Every structure is written in C-alpha cells, then in structure tokens.
Amino acid sequence: MTLQSSLYVGRVRHHRFRPRRHALAYRVFWLLLDLDEIDGLAAQLRVFSRNRFNLYAFRDSDYGDRSGRPLREQVDEALASAGIPWDGGAIRLLTMPRILGYAFNPLSTYFCYRRDGALCATIYEVHNTFGEIHSYVAPVLAEASPLRQEAPKAFHVSPFLGPAMRYAFQVSPPGACVSVAIDGHDDEGRLIATALTGKRRELSDGALLRLLVSHPLLTLKVTAAIHWHALRLLAKRIPLWPHPPPPDRPLSLGDALLRHSKGKLQS
C-alpha cells in the first residue's frame, strides 16, 4: 500500500502592516503524518520514532489535550462538537516533529477526510510560547478551492496583537504542494499576513538526515526566531497587550466560525 505520509519543505513568511511594518521569513519543513501510519513509519524508519527519543520523533502528548489519548478519538470528538459529518476516514497532520527531543509548533493543521477521499474539515491547532494550546475547527465545502475559512480570534498568541481580531484562512490541501495562509484583521483592516508553503518530498531516512544538515535544530530555531523578532518589535515600539486567561474551551466550534456558502463566507 502506498503511504500517504510525506515531507513538505518550504518557507514561512510573516508580515505586519501596522503601526509599523515588520517582516520575517525562514526555511522550514513539516511532516505530513497519516495518523494510521505513524506506527508503521516508526518501524520502517531508523531515525523516526513514536513516543520515544530519536533524531526525529512524534509524541502524542504534544497535541490535542496533551493527555496522550488517541488523536483520532480527539478529532472525532471535535468534529462532532462542531456538527461536522465525518465517517472515520483518514486524518493527516501537518506538523514539525520533535528534533533531538525538542518540539515547538506554532501551528499544526489536521486535514480530516471522509472514507470516499473527500476533505470534510480542517483543525488548526495553535500553540503559544506560554505553553497553551487552542484549536479552530472549520468545515470544508467540496466546491471551495482553495479553501477559505474564517474564525474570530479566541486565543492569545502574541503580546503584540490585541484580542479584537478575525482570522481568514486560505488553504491548498496537501498534494504536490501545500499552503496555509492566515490573514489577521482588526477594525482598521488587515493587520498581519502569515503563510506557510511547502513542496512534497518522499519521507525516508535519507531525506530526514539531509534535512538535519540543511535545517539544523529547526524547532529550536523557530522558538529562537520568535523571541528575536519580539525584541525587534519592542525596539519598534509596537504596543504590548497583557496576557489574558486562556479560553474556557480548548476548541472554537460551530457558530464560532464562519461557514462556506457557494465559495463565499457567511455568518
């Protein structure tokens, strides 16, 4: 059977437009992991393991409610809570793995498919540097390409962004390429634009070893870059917002999201 899991190698770009412009871009790679293939991959690959130390690793407790409970079970509950029909098809997670025991994923995206292969939902799992997690669950319409979704901001990510914002997602699901673009809007218009883009590569020991050379200590460098650019924003006198308590619910569901109607967003 052909594995659906793969590598995506590309870049992350982030632009801030107000009150002063700021931009960053860096090279990155992600694993696209079919949740049903992870154990097989760990058995097949020498440099990748599940729930134990290796050059690369996937730890279940890094995701969802961080209990280590099966992620398929957690995704099933999230989709049911959002009222999104799902018949237990494939779930593929786009994420950065643990590298030499360290992981930090600002954004991990679940692509949830029905058994006929149709994409029915996405889950955007957001981590902040304060150790908190929140997920946005959004339905997918077959006629929407690329996927366009919206959600009100419900989770504190950066002290340089206020709470009164909306996110607009534009997504090209994994194929030869993958892209996830997120614009943040406030009352004055577009404030930030973030995009990750990657090209598919075969997932193998050789490919992973080459990435260890070309992208050394990637997850640690992502964390370092976040703090470095925070210092630069402070130097530009960008106003700071206090850190609010995390949301009461770990998921933004149902009517907390704008849904598709004939390719357009409606409330």
Side-chain angles (χ1 to χ4, degrees):
M1 184 177 69
T2 302
L3 292 178
Q4 297 300 318
S5 301
S6 60
L7 282 165
Y8 282 89
V9 181
R11 299 183 73 84
V12 168
R13 294 178 174 84
H14 177 86
H15 294 269
R16 184 187 182 108
F17 304 103
R18 293 182 278 107
R20 293 170 185 83
R21 288 185 172 270
H22 185 79
L24 64 89
Y26 50 89
R27 297 183 304 152
V28 70
F29 67 87
W30 302 268
L31 297 185
L32 180 72
L33 295 172
D34 187 303
L35 296 190
D36 293 332
E37 295 178 353
I38 297 176
D39 286 333
L41 287 169
Q44 174 183 323
L45 300 173
R46 294 184 178 183
V47 298
F48 174 81
S49 297
R50 183 175 195 170
N51 294 328
R52 67 180 181 86
F53 181 83
N54 204 331
L55 292 179
Y56 295 90
F58 178 86
R59 183 181 294 176
D60 292 73
S61 58
D62 288 338
Y63 301 90
D65 63 11
R66 292 188 285 193
S67 66
R69 194 161 56 96
L71 287 176
R72 282 190 67 92
E73 179 182 312
Q74 296 190 52
V75 168
D76 187 24
E77 292 173 359
L79 297 181
S81 297
I84 299 173
W86 182 61
D87 59 7
I91 303 168
R92 295 176 190 137
L93 173 61
L94 187 71
T95 190
M96 288 186 289
R98 283 185 168 263
I99 301 176
L100 294 172
Y102 181 79
F104 177 67
N105 271 287
L107 175 69
S108 295
T109 305
Y110 299 79
F111 296 90
C112 308
Y113 296 85
R114 297 190 180 94
R115 292 181 183 177
D116 64 3
L119 184 64
C120 69
T122 53
I123 300 176
Y124 305 99
E125 183 175 289
V126 182
H127 293 228
N128 64 23
T129 55
F130 306 100
E132 299 165 342
I133 299 178
H134 188 78
S135 293
Y136 299 89
V137 184
V140 167
L141 288 189
E143 66 265 24
S145 180
L147 311 180
R148 297 179 185 273
Q149 300 153 324
E150 282 196 9
K153 180 180 177 181
F155 180 60
H156 182 77
V157 176
S158 166
F160 301 97
L161 296 172
M165 290 180 58
R166 296 195 68 84
Y167 294 130
F169 302 91
Q170 181 168 302
V171 180
S172 294
C177 298
V178 67
S179 69
V180 179
I182 307 171
D183 286 354
H185 298 259
D186 62 13
D187 291 341
E188 297 179 34
R190 188 167 68 155
L191 177 61
I192 59 168
T194 299
L196 63 86
T197 57
K199 293 183 178 180
R200 186 182 179 108
R201 294 188 187 177
E202 181 183 357
L203 180 52
S204 66
D205 282 318
L208 289 170
L209 288 170
R210 288 189 291 273
L211 287 170
L212 199 64
V213 175
S214 61
H215 298 67
L217 301 177
L218 173 65
T219 49
L220 184 61
K221 292 174 84 169
V222 168
T223 302
I226 289 171
H227 289 92
W228 168 242
H229 284 279
L231 290 174
R232 292 183 61 190
L233 290 172
L234 282 172
K236 292 182 178 182
R237 301 182 183 274
I238 305 296
L240 290 170
W241 291 83
H243 185 168
D248 293 334
R249 297 188 301 170
L251 301 169
S252 293
L253 307 171
D255 60 6
L257 295 167
L258 295 182
R259 296 173 179 264
H260 296 293
S261 177
K262 297 182 180 179
K264 296 182 179 180
L265 293 165
Q266 293 186 350
S267 57

